[in-house]
Structures are given as C-alpha cells and as structure tokens.
Amino acid sequence: MAKEIVLALGGGGVRGVAHLGVLRCLEENGYQVKGIAGTSAGGLFGSLYAAGLPLDEIEPVVRDFLANPQYRRLPGDRPSLVGLSGIRSRLEQVLGDRNVEDFPIAFAATAVSLKSGEEIVITRGSAVDAVLATVAIPGIFPSRGSDDEYLVDGGVLDPVPIQAARHLNPSLPVVAVVLHRKPPEFSPRQSALPLVDSLPQPLVKQLSKTRLAEVFQSFYAAVEVITDRISEQDLIISKPDVVVAPLVGHYSTLGSVDADALMAEGQRAMQAQLNALADSLSLINSVKRIARYTEARDD
C-alpha cells in the first residue's frame, strides 16, 4: 500500500520551522505528501514544500531569513506595526509568479476575511499573495486584499486547518501538526511579546517597566491561551488521523530561535507518531475513512 498522506500545518510564527523537521522525518520514512493545508506559518512553510522545493533548498532560505528577518513596511501597506518586506522578498525569489493551482502538491492556505468574518480557503491564484494573506497577524502585519476586502491570518479562526486538508483528499489520512504544546511548568505569563528580540536591550528593559508593557503582556498571554484552547477543541471536533505536537509552544511567535533545534524537535515529534501513522494506513482504517469523508464531501 502506498504511504500517502495529507498534512494540516498549524500556525505559530517562527515555531513553524518545526514543520520542516516533520517533513524531513516523513521523507526519510518513505511517506509521500499528496496535499498540504496551512495556516499562517503552516501556510508559509507548506507552500515552499508544495511548490516542489527540496528541503535541502528550503532550509538555507529559512536560516538566512531568521538571521536577518527584515520586518520593514512597504509603500502601500495597510496600517500595521511592522511589515512583511523580508518574507515577501524571499517568497518572490523562490516562488516567483507561480500560482497555487500549479504546485505539484495540492495546496490550500487559509485566511480570515474581516469583511465577512468567514474563513477563506485559498487554492488558486498567486502563491505569494496567498502566503502573505495567511501570515498577516492582525495589527502586527498588514492585511491583504483589494478594495474593501481585508484578509488576515487564518489562525484567527482555524489554528490547524484539518478540514481544509481533508478536503484536498478525503481518502488519505490527515496528519495535523500543532505548534502550541508547551512544557508543563510553562506559564502563559512567560510568553515573550512578538518582535521584542529585535529591539535594543536597554529599550526593552525600559519598556518592561511601563504600564503599557504590562497591558500588552497580559493581552498577548490571553491570546496565547485562547489560541491554545481553540486548537485543542478543533482537534477534538475534526479528528485528524494523527496529531504531531512538537514541544515548541514556549518560543515567542516572532522571536529569535535556533532553526536547527526547532527542526530537530519537529523530527522527533513526527518520529514518535510513526506507529500511529502506519496504523492509520491499515486497510480497515482506510475503508472507514473513505466511507465517512468521501461521502460527506459528495453531500
């Protein structure tokens, strides 16, 4: 039996580097990824792999970006704290003007429309635009869209796009990769604010003593808790075949990280679930999955 799967890659900012370790482990164990649905960081890293880029080419691009992220705003950007100039530049280098529907691996990126309040699943059009929409953390990065449309980070509604992944190929097992798992002793109050690592340390120390910093810290900690709970509920409701949970939730969303450590953790977490993945491909589970989800999609 062919070892074919689809992936649902969750959001989490730079924690998403762990997705590359998951992909590396799958490749080394003979699995073929036939579809990828990604939210936020999952959409970013998933798009590169779905485009057919080898991991040996993706990893240097990621390391280069992490060494010099460049969150500069660009002319015409909508209001936001910082911009996506660095990400856009690297995406244009590796993806060029390719469209999502032309990828060799079926791909979907999710975003949220602030006009309708609905989730938008992007499966066609400019790959670069799709990624810039799915990573647009509200308030931090500029929203995307034309005229009166405002598309932001898909993680606002769907931190792990399991349903979107299943829709790509309902006959195959869905491997959901979640990035919110934290050490048991970790407190939400320990969550570092996004981009704080890019500020001069004397300024960080000064800001940390202000009431405004305390307000933002509390707000960010609350958002982290809410996102974690939404992710857990989605896993219960959507029932992916396999859940892979690298221990990376304690890293700051947009902080400085060791790419190799994150990739190693992603690889370890996937390795721990290989038996469960093999079981999901058994004949009886495959028949159950085809009967349940193929029929549901036809309805």
Side-chain angles (χ1 to χ4, degrees):
M1 180 179 294
K3 298 167 70 172
E4 298 178 344
I5 61 171
V6 293
L7 296 175
L9 302 183
V14 294
R15 303 168 189 166
V17 176
H19 289 316
L20 301 180
V22 171
L23 289 164
R24 178 71 70 181
C25 181
L26 289 169
E27 281 192 359
E28 290 177 351
N29 286 276
Y31 285 92
Q32 297 180 40
V33 178
K34 306 301 288 186
I36 300 175
T39 290
S40 195
L44 171 60
F45 292 103
S47 72
L48 302 179
Y49 194 78
L53 295 175
L55 288 173
D56 287 341
E57 291 183 16
I58 296 174
E59 290 172 4
V61 173
V62 171
R63 289 191 182 91
D64 177 64
F65 172 77
L66 291 175
N68 184 24
Q70 296 180 7
Y71 293 119
R72 182 170 44 84
R73 287 170 44 79
L74 294 170
D77 278 349
R78 287 169 170 167
S80 60
L81 183 62
V82 293
L84 289 165
S85 59
I87 292 177
R88 179 168 193 150
S89 173
R90 286 165 177 81
L91 285 173
E92 289 174 343
Q93 289 173 13
V94 296
L95 296 179
D97 58 358
R98 298 175 69 181
N99 286 337
V100 171
E101 63 267 28
D102 298 327
F103 284 177
I105 296 174
F107 178 71
T110 66
V112 173
S113 168
L114 294 185
K115 177 183 178 182
S116 67
E118 299 294 328
E119 181 180 50
I120 306 297
V121 180
I122 305 170
T123 58
R124 301 187 65 81
S126 165
V128 171
D129 286 346
V131 174
L132 293 179
T134 195
V135 302
I137 302 172
I140 295 180
F141 295 134
S143 63
R144 306 293 298 176
S146 57
D147 300 329
D148 60 346
E149 181 60 280
Y150 294 81
L151 297 180
V152 298
D153 192 321
V156 169
L157 287 180
D158 193 4
V160 191
I162 298 164
Q163 298 291 6
R166 184 166 284 130
H167 189 75
L168 293 174
N169 194 326
S171 68
L172 297 180
V174 173
V175 178
V177 185
V178 300
L179 302 176
H180 64 274
R181 184 182 169 213
K182 300 174 176 65
E185 69 278 5
F186 188 84
S187 166
R189 289 287 300 170
Q190 294 175 263
S191 300
L193 291 172
L195 301 172
V196 71
D197 291 342
S198 62
L199 299 175
Q201 282 306 302
L203 179 59
V204 172
K205 290 181 180 180
Q206 188 66 29
L207 289 174
S208 66
K209 301 174 183 178
T210 67
R211 181 167 296 184
L212 184 60
E214 177 70 17
V215 169
F216 279 120
Q217 181 65 52
S218 296
F219 175 76
Y220 182 65
V223 169
E224 285 278 292
V225 171
I226 293 169
T227 302
D228 290 357
R229 295 299 180 269
I230 292 174
S231 298
E232 290 296 330
Q233 287 301 310
D234 192 36
L235 293 174
I236 293 171
I237 294 169
S238 299
K239 296 181 174 62
D241 298 83
V242 177
V243 177
V244 179
L247 190 62
V248 296
H250 53 299
Y251 288 96
S252 174
T253 306
L254 296 174
S256 297
V257 295
D258 180 342
D260 290 324
L262 283 168
M263 285 187 277
E265 176 56 22
Q267 193 160 5
R268 183 210 61 78
M270 185 67 251
Q271 185 74 35
Q273 291 297 92
L274 287 178
N275 287 339
L277 181 53
D279 184 60
S280 75
L281 284 165
S282 69
L283 180 59
I284 187 169
N285 284 328
S286 296
V287 170
K288 287 180 179 178
R289 184 168 49 248
I290 291 170
R292 181 181 305 149
Y293 298 119
T294 304
E295 180 179 307
R297 187 169 75 166
D298 291 341
D299 292 343

